[in-house]
Amino acid sequence: MRSLVRHARTVSGPASPRRRRSATAAPSLALLATLALGACGSRPSSTLDPRSPSAREIAELWWVMLGFGGAVWLLVTLLLVWPAVRGRRRDIDTGADTDTAERFGRRWMAWGGIVLPVVVVFPLSLWSVSVIDRQEGRATRDALVVEVVGHRFWWEVRYPELGAVTANEVHVPVGTDVRFELTTDDVIHSFWAPNLGGKVDMIPGEVTELGISVDEPGTYRGFCAEFCGVQHAKMRLLVVAQEPEEFEEWAASMAADATPADAEVAAAGEDVFSEVGCAGCHTVRGTGAEGDVGPDLTHVGSRRTLGAGIVENDRGHLGGWISNSQSIKPGNLMPPMVLEPDELRTLIDYMEALE
Ligand code: CUA
């Protein structure tokens, strides 16, 4: 960015004050654009804007805990301030009436040390346990199963009953019980879509479960919530909640083999895809590409983002990602590719056609 700004100054001659201002504004505008792109039309993520019964339960518990905690804080603050305002009691201060002082102290110890904690902590603990119990109940009931496998730094998504496979974008039908079966291919990750509930750790060699039923259609943001390496912060996903018919259509298309409309684009793309080595890491179902290191690309053209929710899936970002994804997401497993311009164009055409 700095080099872009410098370039803008050189081509426009000596910077006038106004020019200088617009040049320095460029980085902040770019940052805003990136933030807006990151959202990709999705709802701002917040645990306090719950869109599923399980998230609502957690939010309610949070508000009540905040209320109780606030009341206790207020009480303790008043007790601290009160003696200062009222002045010290002479009989305690002078030791004139030691019995009264002791009784006074004991009473406070009983109320402040036993009664108050029991009244506050006991009901809240009971409530927390019942919420946890209901959350676990949701995870085991009969539901549509979505398997999500964490990788550094992306999400593999499979629907075993429907045969659909995708990555970094989970679609679910609204008003339907969905059970996420979560695991990982490498280190511990954690699946978290704040508006929908969670978060649940993805642990090597284990399958953890999360039951969710989304209230209304929309696109919700998800995050990896367990530090998993250098690109942990850029391991994001989208949860797209759709009407059941729309979801079924989507799942059927994700289950199908690759079907680029243009046979020429498909043939040329498949050739380059295997020649330059993409097929060693990626699968495109219905072709010879069966790599299993990176995301399944059979329908990559229909996804909204690239790089696990980092940039929008358009021609420019596709080209940038294919040639050097390390400049967008340093530390991901895809190496930079040295390609002829023709090869890059062919690959971009092919990826866009894989809808
Ligand atoms: Cu995956 Cu943090």
Side-chain angles (χ1 to χ4, degrees):
M1 185 52 67
R2 200 177 299 147
S3 65
L4 266 182
V5 173
R6 205 183 300 133
H7 179 67
R9 279 184 190 162
T10 10
V11 293
S12 57
S16 70
R18 196 202 280 163
R19 278 201 188 115
R20 202 177 298 131
R21 250 201 314 280
S22 58
T24 46
S28 22
L29 284 178
L31 179 66
L32 281 179
T34 311
L35 290 174
L37 284 181
C40 251
S42 55
R43 196 183 285 279
S45 46
S46 166
T47 46
L48 301 181
D49 177 24
R51 299 292 157 163
S52 79
S54 51
R56 207 168 300 120
E57 272 179 3
I58 295 172
E60 280 165 9
L61 182 62
W62 188 88
W63 280 114
V64 172
M65 282 190 169
L66 180 74
F68 268 82
V72 170
W73 175 83
L74 202 63
L75 181 66
V76 172
T77 308
L78 285 175
L79 289 176
L80 278 173
V81 173
W82 182 41
V85 174
R86 193 167 167 260
R88 285 192 283 181
R89 282 178 59 161
R90 185 168 304 154
D91 53 349
I92 296 176
D93 195 35
T94 57
D97 184 351
T98 323
D99 281 354
T100 315
E102 269 184 28
R103 267 206 308 282
F104 184 75
R106 260 194 234 108
R107 216 165 47 219
W108 273 116
M109 272 163 62
W111 279 98
I114 300 170
V115 177
L116 189 64
V118 167
V119 167
V120 172
V121 175
F122 192 64
L124 282 182
S125 305
L126 275 186
W127 192 358
S128 303
V129 169
S130 82
V131 167
I132 292 170
D133 193 50
R134 279 200 295 281
Q135 302 269 333
E136 285 179 354
R138 277 198 193 90
T140 49
R141 67 168 75 141
D142 199 26
L144 170 72
V145 173
V146 184
E147 295 173 351
V148 183
V149 184
H151 296 262
R152 284 195 289 182
F153 304 92
W154 60 280
W155 314 81
E156 178 185 340
V157 182
R158 294 178 176 274
Y159 298 74
E161 295 144 4
L162 308 174
V165 181
T166 184
N168 305 323
E169 198 174 297
V170 184
H171 288 232
V172 294
V174 286
T176 308
D177 286 330
V178 176
R179 182 168 70 250
F180 290 101
E181 296 189 350
L182 309 163
T183 190
T184 169
D185 190 44
D186 36 54
V187 299
I188 299 178
H189 304 270
S190 185
F191 182 94
W192 188 34
N195 302 69
L196 305 180
K199 61 190 84 120
V200 173
D201 279 359
M202 308 165 94
I203 300 162
E206 271 186 47
V207 176
T208 48
E209 291 169 328
L210 170 67
I212 277 176
S213 158
V214 184
D215 295 338
E216 55 185 84
T219 302
Y220 304 89
R221 298 172 73 188
F223 306 88
C224 179
E226 179 72 40
F227 182 73
C228 53
V230 67
Q231 287 299 346
H232 157 71
K234 286 189 178 173
M235 184 169 166
R236 303 182 198 155
L237 85 158
L238 294 177
V239 180
V240 183
Q242 298 171 300
E243 294 297 345
E245 310 79 53
E246 212 182 315
F247 167 78
E248 270 165 39
E249 225 171 87
W250 173 85
S253 73
M254 290 302 116
D257 284 350
T259 45
D262 188 326
E264 249 176 67
V265 168
E270 276 176 42
D271 282 351
V272 177
F273 199 77
S274 72
E275 271 164 27
V276 303
C278 310
C281 290
H282 295 281
T283 289
V284 177
R285 281 169 279 141
T287 74
E290 289 176 344
D292 61 359
V293 180
D296 182 301
L297 298 180
T298 310
H299 300 288
V300 65
S302 70
R303 290 183 209 146
R304 301 180 191 190
T305 65
L306 294 173
I310 297 311
V311 288
E312 230 170 300
N313 186 3
D314 54 30
R315 252 188 114 69
H317 287 118
L318 255 176
W321 185 270
I322 295 169
S323 15
N324 187 5
S325 67
Q326 297 300 323
S327 66
I328 302 174
K329 193 167 171 178
N332 85 83
L333 288 185
M334 180 156 153
M337 310 277 287
V338 182
L339 299 168
E340 295 299 325
D342 269 358
E343 291 174 326
L344 182 59
R345 251 193 308 275
T346 307
L347 276 180
I348 296 173
D349 291 342
Y350 183 47
M351 295 293 105
E352 287 198 312
L354 292 174
E355 289 193 295

